[in-house]
Amino acid sequence: MVAAVDEDEGVMATDFFWSYTDEPHASRRREILAKYPQIKELFGPDPWAFLKIVLVVSLQLWTATFLRDASWLKLLTVAYFFGSFLNHNLFLAIHELSHNLAFATPSLNRWLGIFANLPIGVPMSITFQKYHLEHHRFQGVDGIDMDIPSQAEAHAVRNAAAKSVWVVLQLFFYALRPLFLKPKPPGLWELTNLAVQVGLDAGLVRLYGWRPLAYLLLSTFVGGGMHPMAGHFISEHYVFSPEQETYSYYGPLNLMAWHVGYHNEHHDFPRIPGARLHRVKEMAPEYYDGLRSYRSWSQVIYMYIMDQTVGPFSRMKRKQAPKKDS
């Protein structure tokens, strides 16, 4: 494993960390299941997922209509301190649904994802699933895992000021990066996602004016930028310790974030819903207690910006393994 950082001199890397081994989760999953086969009992959908999503969608859409006559300052304030948490919760609900963890039938998860997408304001649920499953299957693989920043991003973001701007805009990079680097042709599900979302957005504007839609979009934007919830984008896989490429977070925001902070556990067992991931750590503590983890997503954002050795290049990459001859 080779890292392009000279930490003694405090210099930011000029290339990614390159690993010459497979990602760590598949082998650890096999080892844990061999030792603790009862973990398989945690597999399967979360029976409360549907109700939780309906509750958050209803609350956020009601809030948007309630603010139809609010000032722009009030819209921004409520969006940052309230709506951002709800929309980020729904983004992570969509993450949960991408693994089919609400229903056993994949199409039902897709429909619920389209519904959860509504307050976000921009259609992304179906497209997210396509790229996210590749992130799991090909973690860190050059040219396939679109969770990793592009070369252009990494070369442009070289100091604390640039990193601050990048964090504020990271949701745009996260959403647009795969569309430019690895575009996939839209299918019927993407078009359905688009049609339903445009219908909701147009209906809000027609019935209540532009402010409700502006509130929803602001909630999405600020919640994905310099915001405590957005710290998970950095905490999950940005390398602060060269020997580790996935990191968990065990802080209180997991309650709002579908427990996505249990990220090592999630990558080890993507078929277990977030609400049960803590039990993986309880059943097999020796596999997780020795790994570096976090207690504050806000602190992770601060560390990312202020640590001059860390930047967009601080990600583990690997070449795709050659296909075996059949």
Side-chain angles (χ1 to χ4, degrees):
M1 193 177 294
V2 177
V5 177
D6 186 346
E7 295 191 8
D8 293 334
E9 297 181 4
V11 177
M12 190 180 295
T14 56
D15 194 7
F16 295 99
F17 292 81
W18 285 91
S19 173
Y20 302 99
T21 62
D22 292 337
E23 55 85 14
H25 302 289
S27 59
R28 187 160 62 212
R29 175 166 57 250
R30 290 191 294 269
E31 189 174 335
I32 292 175
L33 285 176
K35 190 173 183 179
Y36 302 104
Q38 64 269 32
I39 283 180
K40 289 184 178 180
E41 297 173 8
L42 303 177
F43 290 9
D46 175 0
W48 294 100
F50 176 80
L51 184 60
K52 289 186 286 187
I53 290 170
V54 169
L55 179 63
V56 176
V57 169
S58 301
L59 178 58
Q60 183 69 322
L61 292 180
W62 177 84
T63 303
T65 59
F66 180 77
L67 293 171
R68 59 187 176 273
D69 297 319
S71 67
W72 289 104
L73 178 59
K74 185 175 182 179
L75 280 180
L76 180 59
T77 302
V78 176
Y80 189 86
F81 291 102
F82 180 71
S84 56
F85 289 92
L86 297 185
N87 273 16
H88 212 100
N89 172 276
L90 291 172
F91 174 80
L92 293 170
I94 289 170
H95 165 264
E96 191 92 340
L97 294 168
S98 73
H99 292 285
N100 296 319
L101 291 174
F103 302 106
T105 304
S107 62
L108 293 180
N109 289 279
R110 293 192 190 103
W111 279 116
L112 186 56
I114 290 172
F115 176 74
N117 197 153
L118 292 176
I120 293 173
V122 179
M124 49 72 64
S125 175
I126 302 300
T127 302
F128 171 82
Q129 182 184 35
K130 287 185 175 182
Y131 289 104
H132 182 68
L133 295 182
E134 288 186 341
H135 164 61
H136 274 265
R137 186 179 178 188
F138 301 100
Q139 180 176 316
V141 174
D142 189 30
I144 298 180
D145 185 357
M146 290 294 105
D147 192 69
I148 297 175
S150 65
Q151 287 279 349
E153 290 171 67
H155 283 293
V157 179
R158 303 295 299 166
N159 54 52
K163 284 191 281 185
S164 297
V165 173
W166 185 89
V167 168
V168 170
L169 300 176
Q170 66 179 322
L171 197 60
F172 288 102
F173 291 112
Y174 191 84
L176 297 177
R177 184 187 305 134
L179 302 182
F180 283 96
L181 298 183
K182 196 172 183 284
K184 297 177 182 291
L188 180 60
W189 279 106
E190 284 91 347
L191 297 176
T192 303
N193 194 177
L194 174 64
V196 172
Q197 190 65 56
V198 170
L200 183 279
D201 294 351
L204 279 177
V205 172
R206 181 174 179 81
L207 293 174
Y208 302 104
W210 285 98
R211 278 178 168 77
L213 180 58
Y215 163 75
L216 295 178
L217 293 174
L218 281 170
S219 296
T220 298
F221 172 67
V222 299
M226 195 75 74
H227 189 280
M229 292 283 283
H232 78 89
F233 288 127
I234 297 172
S235 74
E236 292 167 356
H237 297 291
Y238 279 79
V239 176
F240 287 84
S241 300
E243 69 279 2
Q244 187 174 328
E245 64 180 286
T246 304
Y247 302 76
S248 289
Y249 156 83
Y250 300 125
L253 285 179
N254 271 317
L255 294 173
M256 281 290 296
W258 294 79
H259 297 86
V260 75
Y262 286 81
H263 216 66
N264 267 300
E265 296 84 344
H266 168 61
H267 270 265
D268 288 351
F269 298 100
R271 294 172 60 189
I272 297 178
R276 299 182 201 140
L277 286 174
H278 68 282
R279 295 176 63 184
V280 174
K281 188 174 186 295
E282 292 169 358
M283 289 180 178
E286 68 272 27
Y287 289 94
Y288 301 105
D289 288 348
L291 297 176
R292 180 173 178 176
S293 60
Y294 303 112
R295 292 285 178 179
S296 169
W297 276 332
S298 297
Q299 183 184 27
V300 171
I301 294 175
Y302 177 81
M303 290 163 49
Y304 176 79
I305 293 173
M306 301 307 297
D307 188 337
Q308 60 185 345
T309 68
V310 176
F313 273 130
S314 300
R315 291 293 299 264
M316 196 74 70
K317 294 186 81 170
R318 52 180 50 85
K319 297 295 184 181
Q320 185 173 10
K323 294 182 179 180
K324 297 180 180 179
D325 296 332
S326 57

